[in-house]
């Protein structure tokens, strides 16, 4: 028994009391008509895509660019500068400017995962770098260049974070406009993620931060009680820096994921008919619909087994779901399938997708159609590597599937017959000592047949 994704949604999978009507124009594009669950027109979906930030400021690309700039700034400040400590410290351990170093290191990670926290962090680091540049004679040329690069990092982080937060609001507004004013409860037996989403990241982040605080406290106490000798706690600062950056990133990321899950399950949500296409790497990409071939992938999610529930309810079986009405199975890696999306649509949000799958038994040509629901957070990925697609011929695909099923059943029957024959007619067992019968015969004939050149005691 195998489950297959169904191309078009059967009416039974829509929310109670909801309906939807499609209209296909001469150019092959889908237009939205009135109905309980809205269809997302390709033109509106394109507006949603253009509302995002430029590619250079996208979460992944922007995070890598910021990381490269931060490394270059560290090389200038700590590697090439002949001045005192880059953040203005003299001998010993600099504690006053240590928070600025931590925040600068965390900026690429916070920009990628916690853009809200990147805003105040960039402001703090920019002020500290500006004050260092304003003090005459406090730094040489490499240090001055490093501070200028730090200001550039802060400017990019500030601009990108503001644009990303603004883009999230605009995209949510566009998706809500397309969905209309009606709200629906989540489907039955939907996996509830608000009980676990983000908890592991928050606890891990808290543990890392507590360890870092302990290490810093030990170094600070040793420095204060050293009697003016100047205790060197730089090693402890470095270890704590790594722990603080990782801990705050995990903690912030988990907190945002938890809040998104709470928003999804706390109240009724808007609903849209969308298309979903699977990538080779396991990510699934949401498109405007599953019928417009020119509709590009918009945003991704990664379904997990714990967040997917199969066969939540029976949708039907028989000739009403046969070939010719779009209720045929497809390969989701080759073309998209229809799904009902519940929730807001923007980076970092969490949504529920309900779609239909069919299960075919060996002796049932039509099989049964069930509803499947998946709860997943939306990822900030942009590179989908999905090419154009062509709709599959439902009749040809069904005949091919039935042929493969018959061949598979015939192979199983043949294997069962062969196993039954082996049980009825087991092969003869070799008698004891048969492996040495040849040598025994030679021994009985008066010789051992060996090359030892002497007797073997047979006489």
């Amino acid at each position: 028994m195998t489950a297959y994704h169904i191309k078009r949604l059967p009416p039974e999978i829509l929310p109670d009391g909801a309906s939807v009507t499609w209209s296909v124009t001469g150019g092959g594009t889908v237009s939205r008509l009135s109905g309980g669950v809205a269809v997302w027109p390709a033109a509106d979906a394109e507006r949603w895509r253009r509302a995002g930030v430029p590619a250079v400021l996208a979460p992944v690309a922007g995070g890598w660019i910021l990381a490269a700039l931060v490394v270059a700034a560290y090389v200038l400040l700590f590697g090439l500068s002949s001045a005192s400590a880059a953040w203005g410290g003299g001998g010993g351990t600099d504690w006053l400017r240590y928070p600025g170093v931590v925040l600068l290191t965390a900026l690429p990670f916070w920009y990628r995962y916690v853009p809200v926290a990147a805003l105040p962090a960039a402001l703090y680091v920019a002020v500290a770098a500006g004050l260092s540049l304003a003090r005459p004679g406090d730094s040489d040329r490499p240090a001055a260049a490093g501070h200028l690069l730090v200001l550039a990092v802060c400017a990019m982080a500030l601009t990108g974070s503001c644009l990303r937060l603004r883009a999230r609001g605009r995209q949510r507004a566009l998706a809500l406009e397309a969905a209309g004013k009606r709200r629906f409860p989540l489907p039955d037996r939907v996996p509830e993620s608000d009980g676990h989403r983000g908890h592991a990241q928050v606890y891990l982040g808290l543990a890392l931060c507590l360890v870092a605080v302990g290490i810093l406290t030990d170094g600070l106490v040793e420095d204060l009680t050293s009697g003016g000798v100047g205790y060197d706690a730089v090693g402890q600062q470095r270890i704590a820096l790594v722990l603080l950056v990782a801990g705050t990133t995990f903690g912030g990321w988990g907190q945002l994921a938890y809040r998104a899950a709470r928003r999804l399950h706390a109240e009724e949500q808007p609903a849209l008919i969308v298309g979903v296409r699977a990538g080779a790497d396991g990510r699934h990409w949401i498109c405007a619909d599953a019928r417009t071939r020119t509709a590009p992938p918009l945003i991704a999610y990664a379904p997990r087994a714990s967040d997917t529930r199969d066969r939540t309810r029976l949708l039907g079986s028989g000739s009403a779901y046969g070939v010719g009405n779009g209720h045929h199975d497809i390969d989701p890696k080759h073309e998209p399938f229809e799904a009902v999306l519940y929730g807001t649509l923007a980076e970092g949000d969490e949504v529920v997708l309900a779609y239909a799958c069919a299960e075919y038994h060996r002796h049932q040509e039509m099989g049964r159609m069930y509803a499947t629901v998946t709860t997943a957070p939306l990822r900030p990925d942009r590179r989908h590597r999905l090419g154009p697609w062509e709709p599959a011929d439902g009749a040809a695909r069904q005949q091919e599937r039935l042929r493969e099923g018959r061949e598979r059943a015939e192979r199983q029957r043949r294997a069962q017959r062969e196993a039954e024959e082996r049980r009825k007619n087991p092969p003869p067992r070799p008698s004891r000592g048969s492996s040495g019968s040849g040598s025994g015969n030679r021994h009985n004939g008066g010789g051992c047949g060996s090359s030892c050149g002497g007797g073997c005691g047979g006489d």
Side-chain angles (χ1 to χ4, degrees), residues 221-231:
V221 171
E222 291 289 342
D223 193 8
L224 294 176
T225 59
S226 61
V229 177
Y231 177 76

Side-chain angles (χ1 to χ4, degrees), residues 147-283:
H147 289 307
L148 290 175
L149 193 55
V150 169
L151 289 176
V153 169
C154 296
M156 179 179 175
L158 279 170
T159 304
S161 298
C162 291
L163 290 179
R164 284 179 60 193
L165 295 176
R166 179 172 176 266
R168 286 184 181 184
R170 292 176 59 193
Q171 288 180 328
R172 288 192 186 105
L174 289 173
L176 290 174
E177 179 184 349
K181 296 183 178 181
R182 190 171 179 183
R183 301 293 180 263
F184 302 94
L186 297 181
D188 296 334
R189 301 181 61 192
V190 62
E192 295 186 4
S193 58
D194 57 338
H196 65 85
R197 186 82 72 205
H199 290 191
Q201 294 94 321
V202 170
Y203 295 145
L204 176 60
L206 180 60
L208 293 176
C209 289
L210 288 176
V211 174
V213 169
I215 294 174
L216 288 177
T217 302
D218 178 70
L220 181 59
V221 171
E222 291 289 342
D223 193 8
L224 294 176
T225 59
S226 61
V229 177
Y231 177 76
D232 185 4
V234 174
Q236 291 163 294
Q237 285 184 336
R238 290 173 178 171
I239 296 175
L241 182 145
V242 175
L243 294 175
L244 285 173
V245 171
T248 53
T249 302
F250 278 117
W253 181 24
Q255 183 65 22
L256 292 178
Y258 170 74
R259 292 180 60 186
R262 289 293 299 168
R263 288 195 303 268
L264 176 68
H265 293 275
E267 56 188 4
E268 295 185 346
Q269 297 293 330
L272 275 172
I273 303 291
V274 298
V276 179
R277 187 175 175 187
D281 56 1
R283 293 177 299 172

Side-chain angles (χ1 to χ4, degrees), residues 9-16 18 313-316 320-321 327 369 371:
L9 289 171
E12 289 80 2
I13 203 172
L14 297 176
D16 293 339
R313 57 192 175 102
L314 178 65
L315 300 177
Y321 298 94
H327 298 131
M369 190 180 299

Side-chain angles (χ1 to χ4, degrees), residues 10-369:
E12 289 80 2
I13 203 172
L14 297 176
D16 293 339
S19 61
V20 65
T21 307
W22 295 85
S23 175
V24 181
T25 63
T29 59
V30 179
S31 61
R32 169 189 169 190
L33 298 180
S34 61
V37 179
V39 178
W40 202 9
D44 291 351
E46 181 62 21
R47 288 174 54 207
W48 183 96
R49 189 185 65 83
R50 290 198 304 266
V53 296
V56 70
L57 295 177
V60 178
W64 280 110
I65 293 174
L66 287 175
L69 293 177
V70 168
V71 171
Y74 278 160
V75 171
L76 291 171
L77 293 171
F78 296 101
L80 302 180
S81 175
S82 60
S84 58
W87 292 95
T93 304
D94 186 359
W95 292 99
L96 294 178
R97 290 167 177 80
Y98 179 70
V101 179
V102 174
L103 294 178
L104 176 62
T105 308
L107 265 182
F109 301 94
W110 290 3
Y111 184 84
R112 167 65 175 83
Y113 295 101
V114 199
V116 176
L119 286 172
L123 288 174
Y124 182 95
V125 175
V127 171
L131 292 176
S132 298
L133 280 174
R135 288 191 291 266
D138 192 44
S139 59
D140 55 6
R141 282 190 173 182
H147 289 307
L148 290 175
L149 193 55
V150 169
L151 289 176
V153 169
C154 296
M156 179 179 175
L158 279 170
T159 304
S161 298
C162 291
L163 290 179
R164 284 179 60 193
L165 295 176
R166 179 172 176 266
R168 286 184 181 184
R170 292 176 59 193
Q171 288 180 328
R172 288 192 186 105
L174 289 173
L176 290 174
E177 179 184 349
K181 296 183 178 181
R182 190 171 179 183
R183 301 293 180 263
F184 302 94
L186 297 181
D188 296 334
R189 301 181 61 192
V190 62
E192 295 186 4
S193 58
D194 57 338
H196 65 85
R197 186 82 72 205
H199 290 191
Q201 294 94 321
V202 170
Y203 295 145
L204 176 60
L206 180 60
L208 293 176
C209 289
L210 288 176
V211 174
V213 169
I215 294 174
L216 288 177
T217 302
D218 178 70
L220 181 59
V221 171
E222 291 289 342
D223 193 8
L224 294 176
T225 59
S226 61
V229 177
Y231 177 76
D232 185 4
V234 174
Q236 291 163 294
Q237 285 184 336
R238 290 173 178 171
I239 296 175
L241 182 145
V242 175
L243 294 175
L244 285 173
V245 171
T248 53
T249 302
F250 278 117
W253 181 24
Q255 183 65 22
L256 292 178
Y258 170 74
R259 292 180 60 186
R262 289 293 299 168
R263 288 195 303 268
L264 176 68
H265 293 275
E267 56 188 4
E268 295 185 346
Q269 297 293 330
L272 275 172
I273 303 291
V274 298
V276 179
R277 187 175 175 187
D281 56 1
R283 293 177 299 172
H284 285 51
W285 290 85
I286 297 174
C287 312
D289 59 70
R291 309 188 187 194
T292 306
R293 304 182 196 178
T294 57
L298 302 173
I299 195 167
Y301 68 94
R304 299 189 306 180
S306 59
D307 291 332
T308 300
R309 187 162 294 169
D310 302 323
R311 294 186 293 180
T312 58
R313 57 192 175 102
L314 178 65
L315 300 177
S317 61
S319 59
Y321 298 94
V323 179
N325 56 7
H327 298 131
H328 58 272
D329 59 272
I330 63 165
D331 183 353
K333 294 183 179 180
H334 293 165
E335 63 176 299
F337 60 90
E338 288 181 358
V340 182
L341 184 145
Y342 298 84
T344 55
L345 202 67
E347 167 203 336
D349 289 346
E350 186 161 323
V351 297
V352 169
L353 292 114
Y355 48 95
C357 291
E359 291 184 347
Y360 300 100
H361 299 261
R362 283 185 306 174
H363 305 296
Q364 293 181 351
E365 291 191 357
M366 301 309 301
R368 293 184 178 182
M369 190 180 299

